[in-house]
Amino acid sequence: MDASTFRTWIREAAQLVVDNADHLTHLDAAIGDADHGINLSRGFQAAVKMLDETDASTPAEVLSTVGRALISKTGGASGPLYGTGFRQAAKTFGEDVDVSAVQVGAALQAALAGIQQLGAATEGDKTMVDALGPAVSAYQAVIDTGGDLAEATRAAADAAARGLQETVGMQARKGRASYLGPRTIGHEDPGAASTVLILRALASAVAEAAP
């Protein structure tokens, strides 16, 4: 997976986030500040613009650029969280111009760890971790059994979607939503929903790049 595939991933993620901005904001209106879709759209559009203006020629450079854009241009908690995830993932690649499925798995794990450290969230807290955690595990399970990058990214996206559905029955224990207590039960977590979109974009970009 080279820099061009990573660029495709980010462009497709940005498009999905923009296309689903109203839905993400609707989810956030129920248990948060009603700005998740607006903020994340702004951040990913800024990331695409920054990539277009820079010569990011390695996977690490692409992801670190995205991380900077999300941190600087996305409001709310999602900017620092996603930005940290992308920047931590970038650090695992070094200067490699083409990264393997195993390396992508390590990068996803690093992203999860960075997000968990910053947000102090674990699975079951009704956050993006409830989608990303199962996704990372599903990805690794495919790789460990000899699957390829396309299979692994599809499995990750599917697992994230299942994780999102499980947030409906959870009570939020982190972030602004936690102040609402039991009233958060019955709603999808918006951060988990946007995580699903980002991972679907990854699977799509990998599929497009496959021979």
Side-chain angles (χ1 to χ4, degrees):
M1 189 170 175
D2 60 12
S4 65
T5 305
F6 280 91
R7 285 175 177 271
T8 299
W9 170 25
I10 300 307
R11 283 196 300 272
E12 295 195 8
Q15 190 62 58
L16 280 177
V17 168
V18 169
D19 289 347
N20 289 275
D22 288 346
H23 176 62
L24 294 174
T25 294
H26 173 73
L27 293 178
D28 199 31
I31 62 173
D33 292 332
D35 60 1
H36 186 60
I38 297 167
N39 287 340
L40 205 58
S41 292
R42 183 189 306 118
F44 268 95
Q45 287 174 311
V48 170
K49 184 173 186 292
M50 195 175 290
L51 284 174
D52 287 342
E53 295 172 349
T54 59
D55 184 27
S57 58
T58 67
E61 289 172 351
V62 172
L63 294 192
S64 62
T65 298
V66 173
R68 288 197 304 274
L70 292 178
I71 289 171
S72 63
K73 301 296 185 181
T74 309
S78 59
L81 288 167
Y82 277 128
T84 295
F86 277 104
R87 292 177 75 175
Q88 292 302 313
K91 291 179 181 179
T92 69
F93 290 147
E95 298 181 0
D96 291 354
V97 296
D98 202 344
V99 296
S100 68
V102 171
Q103 286 175 285
V104 172
L108 290 172
Q109 182 61 59
L112 173 61
I115 288 170
Q116 286 188 289
Q117 182 175 21
L118 181 61
T122 59
E123 289 183 41
D125 285 341
K126 200 183 181 90
T127 71
M128 63 177 66
V129 171
D130 289 298
L132 186 56
V136 172
S137 296
Y139 181 101
Q140 197 59 51
V142 171
I143 297 303
D144 288 345
T145 54
D148 62 19
L149 183 61
E151 293 169 330
T153 51
R154 282 197 305 271
D158 290 344
R162 292 191 295 271
L164 168 62
Q165 289 305 308
E166 291 185 8
T167 66
V168 174
M170 297 175 184
Q171 177 174 324
R173 295 200 292 258
K174 294 292 179 182
R176 186 175 181 83
S178 64
Y179 302 145
L180 298 178
R183 283 183 289 168
T184 59
I185 298 172
H187 301 280
E188 290 182 354
D189 178 71
S194 57
T195 295
V196 171
L197 298 178
I198 294 166
L199 291 172
R200 282 178 178 164
L202 173 59
S204 175
V206 168
E208 289 176 30

